[in-house]
Amino acid sequence: MASDIITGISSSSQLERKMHLKGTVIKTNKAGAIIDIGVEKPALLHVSQIIIENKQPILRVEDFLKIGQEVDVYVRNIQNDRIEITMKEPLSLEWREIKKDMVVKGKVSKLENFGAFVDIGAECLGLVHVSELTHGYVRDASEIVSAGDEIEAKIIDFNRRRKQIKLSMKAMQPSLDEIDGVKFTPARPKRKNIKGKSKKEKTPENNEVSEEKEPTVMEIALREAMEKANIDQPAEETRSRKLKNISKEQGDILSRTLKQRA
């Protein structure tokens, strides 16, 4: 397009690949044409880089390019004292420029159930597979994007021989357990013992088991009897020892009773 033509270039040191320039034909031959692009040396336009409207094979360059004719050209290559140009608009992203994990912008060209094809300015369309559109399950690509959408994606793989470029929009999004760059670790379930019961939680105050053992009927009766007799309750160890002795005595009495009845 004429709007992106660069002017004011007067030295070959200012030239860059893909630069869009205006040139003037100064000579033609079988190999192509010599073009003045406004720098100290002319540029070579090879016959294979000449574009004509009907796209017919070019048999004679002079049939299509005339001396003094103004043409739109792009810088194709700069090597030593040689400047090569082309009339073909270069790709925004060439194979030699493509790298893994490169972030690119493009427009959704068409949709399929399995993903979206995106024009990123390369030789072939890039594919965002349905599994790479976003986090979570997606049944159809149309649930996330539409044809004509401008998207940003990361190149996760490419193959020049097969002309394949794989893209990921998901790689540009925070994961489900990350918000504003802060990752959240899901809480772990309580560890279980062999019987499948959760371990008792400990209180932060004394780091002891929070659950208190429920007293037995015998312990309650003993407490009531001691309270009636105005006897102070013994310490836990003493009370436990007495309870054991009482249980033993009761067992002995029951055993003797059974022998007498026999």
Side-chain angles (χ1 to χ4, degrees), residues 102 104 127-129 131-134 151-157 165-173:
M102 175 186 286
V104 294
L127 172 64
V128 184
H129 190 265
S131 63
E132 294 294 335
L133 286 168
T134 188
I151 63 102
E152 189 175 52
K154 181 177 287 189
I155 296 175
I156 56 176
D157 198 10
I165 301 175
K166 297 180 181 179
L167 306 174
S168 173
M169 291 171 58
K170 181 173 69 175
M172 303 296 297
Q173 305 165 0

Side-chain angles (χ1 to χ4, degrees), residues 46 73 84 89 95-96 102 131 159 170 221 239 245 251:
H46 192 267
V73 294
E84 297 178 8
E89 185 174 357
W95 284 109
R96 59 177 139 182
M102 175 186 286
S131 63
N159 188 313
K170 181 173 69 175
R239 182 167 68 251
N245 292 335

Side-chain angles (χ1 to χ4, degrees), residues 189-225:
K190 294 179 181 180
R191 295 179 63 186
K192 295 183 178 181
N193 56 20
I194 298 175
K195 295 181 179 180
K197 296 181 179 181
S198 300
K199 290 187 176 181
K200 296 177 181 178
E201 296 181 356
K202 297 182 179 181
T203 58
E205 292 79 11
N206 53 19
N207 204 34
E208 293 180 355
V209 177
S210 59
E211 296 182 5
E212 184 178 353
K213 185 178 180 181
E214 185 177 349
T216 64
V217 176
M218 188 176 293
E219 287 177 322
I220 294 174
L222 178 60
R223 288 180 186 177
E224 292 177 351

Side-chain angles (χ1 to χ4, degrees), residues 1-15:
M1 293 184 297
S3 59
D4 64 355
I5 293 177
I6 298 174
T7 59
I9 300 296
S10 58
S11 173
S12 57
S13 61
Q14 298 175 279
L15 296 176

